[in-house]
C-alpha cells in the first residue's frame, strides 16, 4: 500500500470538458458515472450540487466527473449535455469532466469475461477500477476528497457543513468521515491517503463491493469504528435498476424517532447561576444549563443509571435563535466501566469535537463488541470569557427489537 500500483503507471486520461483549477482546492467532489439500464441521474446530481451551493462555497471545491463508460456515443452525448447545462461552472474551472483508462491493459469487469463468476462480480470489478481512476486523477487537486454517486440529491449548504467539520477535526486522527448513511456517497478522505487507497483496491483480485473495501481500509489505518454525522446531507434520487438491486443492498435512510434520554445523573464542576441544576442540560424540555466563564478542563458528565446501547448523541450549546453563548472549543467523550462511587467512568473514548457549538453523531461499536455505554462527557477544551448555555443533550438508544 505504500507504493503506487504498477497498473496506475499505465493510466491515461482524456479531458472531455474543462481544465484543472490553477490552485489547490479544499475539497474535490468526485463522481464516477457510467450508463445505467434505466437512464441517468448524473445531470440531476450536478444540478442539485450546484443549486445547493453558494458562490463562496463553490470557490472551495472542484467537481471532478469521471465518465467511465467506453461507449463513444454515450460519452459524446453526455459531454454535450454537461457542457450545455453547466458552461459557467466549466469556464470557471469548478467542473472538470474526464475519461480514464489503463493503456494497453483491458479494464477488468467486462460482463462477457468468463473469468468472472457472476454479472455482479463483473460489476464490482468495473466499479473498483472506475473509482481507482477517479481517485488517482484527484491526488493533487485538493486537500480532501468527497465521494458521491451519480444519482444523489445534495442538501443546501452541504459544503459549509463539511467545511466546518473538517476544521474541527483538523488536528484529530481520522481516515474516513461520513456525511451520509449511504454506503458510498458522503465519504470524505484525506487526499494524502488516496494513493494508498487506490493501491489497496488493486492489491486484491476479489470482486466485492467497494464499501467493503473501504471498511477494511479504515480498519487497516486504525480507525476502528465509523465516524458518521447526522443528519445526512446526501440522499439517493430516482429508482435502482433491477441489476443494482441484485448486486447491492437497497439503501434506506435511517429514520430516528424523538430522543429517549434514559435515566441518568448529571455531574459537573462548572459554576452555574443560583438554582440552576446540571440536570437541566439533560432533561428533554426548554430548560438549559447556563454557566459563566467556563475554563479549560471543565466537564459535564451524564452517568446513565444502567449501561445502554446508545446509537446517536446530539449536544446543543448556545442560544437557539441568536447563536450566542455556545461552547467555542469542546468535545464529547463516551465512557465505559462505571465507577462504584457514581462519579463517572473509568475509561473514555472520543466521539468527536463540537462544530460551531453543536455535535450530532452516530455511535458505533467495534465488531462483535458487547460493550454498552455508561457515561457521556462534555469537555471544555479552551477557557472562554462569556456565558455558556448547554441547551440540551439528546440521546437515542437501541431497543431490543432493533437489536434483534
Amino acid at each position: 500500500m505504500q507504493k503506487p500500483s504498477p497498473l496506475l503507471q499505465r493510466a491515461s486520461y482524456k479531458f472531455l470538458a474543462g481544465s484543472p483549477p490553477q490552485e489547490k482546492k479544499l475539497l474535490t467532489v468526485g463522481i464516477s458515472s457510467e450508463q445505467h439500464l434505466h437512464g441517468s441521474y448524473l445531470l440531476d446530481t450536478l444540478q442539485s450540487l450546484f443549486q445547493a451551493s453558494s458562490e463562496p462555497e463553490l470557490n472551495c471545491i472542484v467537481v471532478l466527473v469521471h465518465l467511465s463508460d467506453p461507449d463513444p456515443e454515450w460519452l459524446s452525448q453526455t459531454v454535450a449535455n454537461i457542457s450545455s447545462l453547466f458552461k459557467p461552472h466549466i469556464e470557471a474551472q469548478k467542473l472538470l469532466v474526464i475519461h480514464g483508462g489503463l493503456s494497453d491493459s483491458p479494464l477488468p469487469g467486462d460482463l462477457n469475461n468468463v473469468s468472472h463468476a457472476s454479472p455482479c462480480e463483473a460489476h464490482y470489478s468495473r466499479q473498483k477500477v472506475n473509482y481507482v481512476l477517479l481517485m488517482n486523477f484527484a491526488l493533487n487537486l485538493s486537500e480532501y476528497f468527497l465521494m458521491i454517486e451519480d444519482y444523489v440529491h445534495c442538501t443546501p449548504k452541504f459544503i459549509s457543513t463539511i467545511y466546518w467539520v473538517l476544521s474541527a477535526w483538523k488536528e484529530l486522527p481520522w481516515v474516513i468521515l461520513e456525511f451520509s448513511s449511504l454506503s458510498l456517497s458522503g465519504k470524505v478522505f484525506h487526499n494524502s491517503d488516496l494513493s494508498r487507497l487506490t493501491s489497496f483496491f488493486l492489491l486484491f483480485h476479489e470482486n466485492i463491493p467497494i464499501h467493503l473495501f473501504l471498511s477494511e481500509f479504515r480498519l487497516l489505518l486504525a480507525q476502528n469504528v465509523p465516524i458518521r454525522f447526522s443528519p445526512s446531507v446526501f440522499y439517493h434520487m430516482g429508482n435502482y435498476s433491477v441489476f443494482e438491486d441484485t448486486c447491492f443492498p437497497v439503501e434506506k435512510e435511517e429514520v430516528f424517532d424523538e430522543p429517549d434520554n434514559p435515566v441518568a445523573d448529571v455531574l459537573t464542576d462548572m459554576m452555574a447561576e443560583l438554582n440552576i441544576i446540571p440536570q437541566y442540560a439533560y432533561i428533554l424540555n426548554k430548560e438549559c444549563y447556563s454557566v459563566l466563564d467556563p475554563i479549560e478542563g471543565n466537564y459535564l458528565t451524564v452517568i446513565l443509571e444502567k449501561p445502554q446501547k446508545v446509537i446517536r448523541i446530539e449536544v446543543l450549546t448556545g442560544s437557539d435563535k441568536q447563536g450566542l453563548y455556545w461552547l467555542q472549543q469542546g468535545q464529547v467523550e463516551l465512557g465505559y466501566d462505571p465507577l462504584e462511587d457514581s462519579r463517572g467512568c473509568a475509561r473514555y473514548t472520543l466521539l468527536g469535537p463540537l462544530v460551531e457549538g453543536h455535535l450530532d453523531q452516530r455511535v458505533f461499536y467495534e465488531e462483535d463488541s458487547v460493550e454498552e455505554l455508561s457515561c457521556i462527557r462534555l469537555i471544555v477544551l479552551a477557557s472562554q470569557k462569556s456565558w455558556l448555555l448547554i441547551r440540551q443533550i439528546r440521546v437515542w438508544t437501541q431497543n431490543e427489537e432493533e437489536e434483534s
Side-chain angles (χ1 to χ4, degrees), residues 328-369:
Q328 293 163 13
Q329 293 186 54
Q331 67 184 32
V332 175
E333 300 172 343
L334 307 177
Y336 305 89
D337 305 329
L339 300 172
E340 290 183 3
D341 59 2
S342 299
R343 301 298 295 178
C345 285
R347 178 169 57 89
Y348 288 90
T349 62
L350 175 69
L351 177 61
L354 270 66
V355 179
E356 295 191 293
H358 179 218
L359 176 140
D360 191 348
Q361 281 185 226
R362 288 292 314 274
V363 178
F364 292 95
Y365 302 85
E366 293 187 29
E367 191 173 352
D368 300 326
S369 170

Side-chain angles (χ1 to χ4, degrees), residues 17 22 28 98 108 129 142 168 181 193 232 250 253 271 350 354 383:
Q22 298 298 310
T28 298
I98 62 169
V129 172
S142 59
S181 59
D193 283 336
S232 293
V250 176
E253 179 59 34
M271 298 297 293
L350 175 69
L354 270 66
S383 303

